[in-house]
Amino acid sequence: MSKSLPYSMKDVHYDNAKFRHRSLFKVFTQTLLTSNMRRECVSCSTGKFLGLLMIFGLACLMLTHTNKAHSVSDGLAKGIATNEEHKEVTDIGIRFKKLFRRAPRLPPRLSPDEKIIHHNFTGKLNEPNVEEQWKARQQNVKDAFTHAWSGYKKFAMGYDELMPVSRLGVDGLGGLGATVVDALDTAMIMGLDDVVSEASSWIESHLLDRIRQKGQVNLFETTIRVLGGLLSAYHLSGGDQGMTLAQKGPKPTNYLDIAKNLADRLLSAFTSSPTTIPFSDVVLRDSSAHSAPDGLSSTSEVSTLQLEFNYLSAISGDPKYSTEGMKVLAHLKTLPKTEGLVPIYISPHSGEFSGENIRLGSRGDSYYEYLIKVWLQLRDTQDGNFTYLHDMYEEAMRGVKHMLVQKSTPSELVFVGELPVGPKGYLSPKMDHLVCFLPGTLALGATKGLTKEKAMKDNLLTFEDLDNLKLAEDLTKTCFEMYSVTSTGLAPEIAYFHTKDYFESGLDGGNKSSEYVNDIIIKHADRHNLLRPETVESLFVLYRITQDPKYREWGWQIFESFEKYTKVESGGYSSLDDVTTVPPPKRDKMETFFLGETLKYLYLLFGDSSVMPLDKFVFNTEAHPLPIKSS
Ligand code: DMJ
């Protein structure tokens, strides 16, 4: 398969020229060079030559009049607001000098279309009841959370997950009651005091014992779900002068004590390893650690622990957690990469990457997410220089655009493919649903959590930021279309894209009325849906940053499909076996991240944008918000 042109060259129209003031001289000479005039000039008659002279003379005349817009642009370009703009300039010599001066480079600004975006999408937003309507929709999400929790509480309390169809509990994550801890801060944010009370008393009475007694757990899963959940609960219940969203429940220090106990055991994955790369698994009861059977750790797993470990060090006053976590990132910085892209496996024994497989789906995804998020978390602290994380992130995003991004045929959806045999091999047009975290991360990386409007007003965006934001918007659309192209309105676990080099017939998503039904291919083995959060996560971030209501509308459509096809009457929601069939067969599992992430992001998407602002909180990869502390 041949590679098509890189995304950045082919598709992005943020040509600097768009933002530059072009001098009249340039316009004039460029016209001469590019229009018919040039061709005809070779044999031009005296009459035509005189005509040209007249145009030139007219141009000079125009320049002897004041041009305020031009002066304002100059002021902006220098970043200074001066009164010069209003002065009459009479010196023709200066004007001629201007003719030959290089046009200044202006900071990017919102186009008039973008400025009015939130007034013209549905035509309804000026109506007084629009916010009321979103509040009502937000209440629906809250009701869904209550229904999910009630199923879990009735049939699986204390187990990691609920099997809603069998009405049983199952321990798929080592037996720490993962759903309880993952769900707790969502309940706090939603103001569900009874759930907070039930979840927190279970944690107070059982979690420490479980941590002392349980066997093998995965370092990454336990960190992002359980440790992350505890740390967020600590802050949201008032710890570290945090918010007091929880009216009921234990003192924040109780969450902190449990978090420390757990993290002390997890640290053995770092300290037993012969390199700075931690082993993948820990036996909690004896604080021993070992690598996975193949001896390897996932790249995303070893690089997705640092937000949690850093915050724990900040609030406990003990630097050891942060020190171990950050050693990993410092080491990853030194390893060879392909345009910032990394293989999905790494060996804790050698400290080197293993294999050539490069992707932003499973085992690769949150490496890229944490580069920018850890930088956002630490950039204002005085603990060291973390610019290298931002550099690694930017280089990687350039690599994504250059090596992985393509467009589908016939309807040109932008997608992120994979390099299963490394950078010299073919690009597979396969995109995991997991990759849908990327648009949110790109948007966050561009504006650092501010709205695009504010970031542009304050001249904070570079052209690269805008380029990344444009890609974020294109990919969010693709992720949404992965839902709307199926019969159920729910995305498959994996999609393939029809390109000029790749097509398989008879594998569409089933929604024949979708414009993209021929662009997206869904193989039989990939048709399941695990109630994953990545797309609604990106919708939430994109809505916060662009303020474009279409992201809310898309979120609502997805939520309605979850309600219609995944809800189990007796309590809980179930993952599905096949999103292309109606009714879809249920898989009998409610993943913890449905409560921890999916419903939290939907709730925040439909709610007031001042709650959990993205420039003050960084969400760990399991959607547990941690405050960004300044120095
Ligand atoms: C979650 O546990 C996290 O979001 C992780 O980063 C990826 N997988 C799941 C959700 O899909």
Side-chain angles (χ1 to χ4, degrees):
M1 264 181 240
S2 67
K3 275 188 216 161
S4 70
L5 271 181
Y7 177 83
S8 52
M9 305 294 289
K10 198 174 60 169
D11 305 306
V12 174
H13 303 296
Y14 290 115
D15 184 306
N16 290 352
K18 188 176 162 190
F19 303 103
R20 252 186 250 144
H21 181 87
R22 299 170 78 209
S23 76
L24 200 56
F25 179 72
K26 258 197 166 170
V27 172
F28 185 72
T29 48
Q30 276 174 9
T31 310
L32 268 178
L33 287 170
T34 54
S35 72
N36 289 339
M37 289 169 83
R38 184 186 55 170
R39 289 195 292 277
E40 284 168 15
C41 218
V42 182
S43 58
C44 70
S45 65
T46 321
K48 280 179 184 165
F49 181 65
L50 282 175
L52 284 177
L53 266 182
M54 259 178 67
I55 297 170
F56 189 67
L58 267 172
C60 293
L61 215 78
M62 280 166 64
L63 279 164
T64 56
H65 290 270
T66 307
N67 179 348
K68 283 183 184 171
H70 187 122
S71 304
V72 169
S73 303
D74 278 357
L76 264 176
K78 292 171 197 154
I80 326 160
T82 71
N83 290 326
E84 294 296 307
E85 298 102 37
H86 306 292
K87 266 207 238 156
E88 282 290 320
V89 182
T90 49
D91 184 343
I92 294 178
I94 294 174
R95 291 190 180 285
F96 268 96
K97 248 182 162 176
K98 282 186 179 177
L99 278 177
F100 294 99
R101 199 182 55 198
R102 245 185 112 82
R105 187 184 161 94
L106 294 183
R109 276 181 282 174
L110 286 181
S111 71
D113 289 357
E114 287 170 299
K115 275 186 183 156
I116 57 163
I117 204 161
H118 42 290
H119 300 299
N120 70 3
F121 174 69
T122 60
K124 284 194 246 155
L125 283 187
N126 288 330
E127 292 167 20
N129 66 354
V130 167
E131 274 313 308
E132 287 309 308
Q133 176 199 329
W134 285 113
K135 263 195 200 148
R137 289 179 170 185
Q138 196 187 34
Q139 180 60 43
N140 282 301
V141 179
K142 200 166 160 176
D143 294 344
F145 180 90
T146 309
H147 182 78
W149 176 260
S150 77
Y152 173 76
K153 191 178 80 170
K154 256 188 285 175
F155 307 121
M157 190 71 189
Y159 284 93
D160 282 334
E161 293 132 334
L162 166 70
M163 294 167 69
V165 180
S166 319
R167 304 183 190 179
L168 294 169
V170 59
D171 277 341
L173 292 156
L176 298 181
T179 292
V180 184
V181 196
D182 226 0
L184 174 59
D185 63 359
T186 307
M188 288 176 171
I189 291 167
M190 291 180 173
L192 286 167
D193 290 348
D194 290 345
V195 179
V196 172
S197 172
E198 288 154 9
S200 59
S201 34
W202 185 90
I203 289 171
E204 248 196 329
S205 337
H206 302 285
L207 188 52
L208 213 45
D209 284 344
R210 295 277 180 100
I211 290 169
R212 288 188 189 117
Q213 291 157 11
K214 286 292 174 182
Q216 182 174 316
V217 295
N218 174 275
L219 168 68
F220 159 78
E221 298 292 0
T222 311
T223 299
I224 65 169
R225 300 185 202 219
V226 182
L227 185 61
L230 288 168
L231 294 173
S232 172
Y234 167 79
H235 182 76
L236 298 183
S237 59
D240 193 28
Q241 290 151 12
M243 308 164 86
T244 39
L245 290 184
Q247 305 303 323
K248 302 185 181 168
K251 291 202 298 274
T253 46
N254 290 14
Y255 295 121
L256 177 58
D257 291 341
I258 303 171
K260 277 196 294 184
N261 192 304
L262 175 61
D264 285 344
R265 293 164 199 267
L266 295 177
L267 272 183
S268 66
F270 298 83
T271 51
S272 334
S273 166
T275 67
T276 55
I277 301 302
F279 287 139
S280 60
D281 298 298
V282 168
V283 177
L284 288 175
R285 61 175 159 263
D286 62 9
S287 296
S288 62
H290 58 89
S291 51
D294 59 5
L296 299 173
S297 299
S298 299
T299 303
S300 65
E301 293 194 359
V302 302
S303 56
T304 308
L305 310 160
Q306 290 71 14
L307 285 178
E308 299 80 356
F309 279 62
N310 289 340
Y311 185 59
L312 180 57
S313 277
I315 57 178
S316 67
D318 189 337
K320 69 183 174 191
Y321 310 105
S322 177
T323 304
E324 292 302 329
M326 292 307 289
K327 271 192 221 164
V328 181
L329 297 183
H331 174 74
L332 291 175
K333 176 187 152 205
T334 66
L335 297 183
K337 307 176 184 68
T338 305
E339 300 190 26
L341 306 177
V342 294
I344 58 170
Y345 288 106
I346 189 161
S347 163
H349 303 285
S350 68
E352 302 293 329
F353 288 124
S354 174
E356 298 236 67
N357 194 338
I358 289 175
R359 64 174 179 234
L360 271 82
S362 60
R363 302 183 188 280
D365 48 5
S366 46
Y367 162 77
Y368 304 94
E369 179 187 352
Y370 268 37
L371 289 179
I372 192 71
K373 286 187 172 176
V374 175
W375 177 75
L376 286 169
Q377 182 191 44
L378 298 180
R379 68 177 166 153
D380 288 334
T381 61
Q382 316 231 303
D383 303 338
N385 184 355
F386 303 103
T387 324
Y388 76 92
L389 295 170
H390 189 260
D391 294 344
M392 285 164 76
Y393 168 77
E394 289 223 308
E395 192 196 359
M397 292 307 108
R398 274 177 231 135
V400 167
K401 285 182 275 190
H402 184 210
M403 314 252 331
L404 303 181
V405 170
Q406 280 201 353
K407 276 186 176 182
S408 65
T409 54
S411 298
E412 308 217 312
L413 283 173
V414 175
F415 68 91
V416 179
E418 301 182 358
L419 295 168
V421 290
K424 295 200 182 87
Y426 69 99
L427 186 112
S428 164
K430 163 180 179 270
M431 184 164 143
D432 292 354
H433 184 276
L434 287 168
V435 181
C436 291
F437 82 94
L438 183 63
T441 295
L442 279 164
L444 185 69
T447 69
K448 290 43 175 191
L450 299 173
T451 62
K452 179 181 179 188
E453 195 170 24
K454 168 134 182 64
M456 293 198 84
K457 205 164 127 238
D458 296 349
N459 291 340
L460 298 175
L461 298 189
T462 63
F463 290 100
E464 192 163 2
D465 291 331
L466 277 177
D467 197 21
N468 288 347
L469 199 45
K470 169 80 173 77
L471 177 57
E473 294 188 55
D474 290 346
L475 288 174
T476 306
K477 175 166 175 57
T478 302
C479 289
F480 170 67
E481 297 303 342
M482 281 164 64
Y483 283 72
S484 62
V485 83
T486 69
S487 318
T488 56
L490 292 169
E493 176 72 356
I494 296 169
Y496 284 76
F497 290 82
H498 177 190
T499 67
K500 64 180 172 34
D501 302 309
Y502 181 86
F503 186 61
E504 280 191 69
S505 57
L507 295 175
D508 64 63
N511 176 10
K512 304 287 183 201
S513 62
S514 161
E515 192 189 333
Y516 302 98
V517 70
N518 293 320
D519 289 62
I520 297 179
I521 298 160
I522 307 173
K523 300 194 183 194
H524 288 285
D526 305 332
R527 295 186 166 184
H528 48 293
N529 177 297
L530 303 185
L531 313 170
R532 285 200 192 274
E534 290 76 19
T535 296
V536 295
E537 167 185 354
S538 284
L539 292 174
F540 158 67
V541 178
L542 267 286
Y543 175 67
R544 284 286 177 95
I545 283 173
T546 66
Q547 301 167 291
D548 187 334
K550 79 177 175 212
Y551 297 117
R552 274 180 156 183
E553 295 289 351
W554 291 353
W556 178 248
Q557 283 183 45
I558 291 172
F559 175 72
E560 282 193 307
S561 299
F562 277 131
E563 280 293 285
K564 191 163 173 190
Y565 293 115
T566 70
K567 191 168 183 171
V568 177
E569 265 329 296
S570 51
Y573 290 75
S574 176
S575 38
L576 304 176
D577 270 337
D578 184 355
V579 292
T580 67
T581 308
V582 173
K586 293 200 168 70
R587 190 167 260 214
D588 200 13
K589 179 89 161 295
M590 183 170 78
E591 301 282 347
T592 76
F593 46 69
F594 186 61
L595 291 89
E597 298 193 67
T598 311
L599 293 177
K600 182 188 286 147
Y601 283 131
L602 283 165
Y603 180 84
L604 291 171
L605 170 66
F606 301 152
D608 188 325
S609 289
S610 63
V611 176
M612 305 283 146
L614 291 174
D615 59 336
K616 305 263 182 319
F617 287 88
V618 63
F619 286 78
N620 88 337
T621 195
E622 190 74 6
H624 297 302
L626 303 173
I628 297 174
K629 295 163 78 75
S630 67
S631 53

